[in-house]
Amino acid sequence: MDTETDTVRRILTETGDTWAVVGLSANERRAAYGVAAVLQRFGKRVVPVHPKAETVHGERGYASLAEIPFPVDVVDVFVNSALAGAVADEAVAIGAKAVWFQLGVVDEAARERTRAAGLDMVMDRCPAIEIPRLPG
């Protein structure tokens, strides 16, 4: 059985480099903005998903996961826990390989559904904290 640490490592190093960041807008004061910048520094393509569909960090934004016209590897979720389960279900529907719930985002039922669909899932963690910890 995989540990959470194994899953974190696999998502960050093996799953793929296209990350849809749900909740990412051009608001520099929001955590999603800074985390997306870190992901880009580590070679990830960051696709903003936000109702405003703003361009952020040079990447065109989309209003929903379903509107993204190319494959997404990881869906990074920056919405509150009450909304996160629906986002996880959308991630399954678009064929993503993994779902990442940010710090403070917790939905055990969504984790069970997502894993049952064959996706990797991490909850209540931050990739911007985890990625620098990876062995070089």
Side-chain angles (χ1 to χ4, degrees):
M1 181 74 186
D2 269 357
T3 67
E4 184 97 337
T5 301
D6 293 334
T7 304
V8 164
R9 185 179 303 112
R10 184 168 53 250
I11 291 172
L12 290 173
T13 63
E14 299 171 22
T15 298
D17 290 334
T18 302
W19 286 53
V21 181
V22 179
L24 174 58
S25 71
N27 183 343
E28 296 178 20
R29 294 185 303 277
R30 301 295 303 217
Y33 190 88
V35 170
V38 171
L39 289 169
Q40 279 189 325
R41 278 203 303 278
F42 281 89
K44 307 299 182 190
R45 179 182 185 186
V46 173
V47 182
V49 180
H50 190 278
K52 294 180 183 174
E54 297 172 304
T55 296
V56 184
H57 297 308
E59 283 284 348
R60 179 187 162 188
Y62 297 89
S64 71
L65 289 173
E67 292 179 22
I68 300 173
F70 46 82
V72 169
D73 300 309
V74 182
V75 175
D76 189 8
V77 182
F78 273 95
V79 300
N80 70 49
S81 297
L83 302 174
V87 175
D89 296 339
E90 287 178 51
V92 171
I94 67 162
K97 299 173 190 163
V99 174
W100 191 301
F101 281 9
Q102 280 296 143
L103 290 171
V105 181
V106 176
D107 182 333
E108 290 293 347
R111 174 163 43 192
E112 289 177 25
R113 289 194 309 274
T114 302
R115 288 185 171 167
L119 283 70
D120 276 332
M121 172 84 177
V122 172
M123 197 162 61
D124 197 23
R125 305 277 286 262
C126 180
I129 294 170
E130 303 296 338
I131 204 166
R133 295 178 177 168
L134 292 172

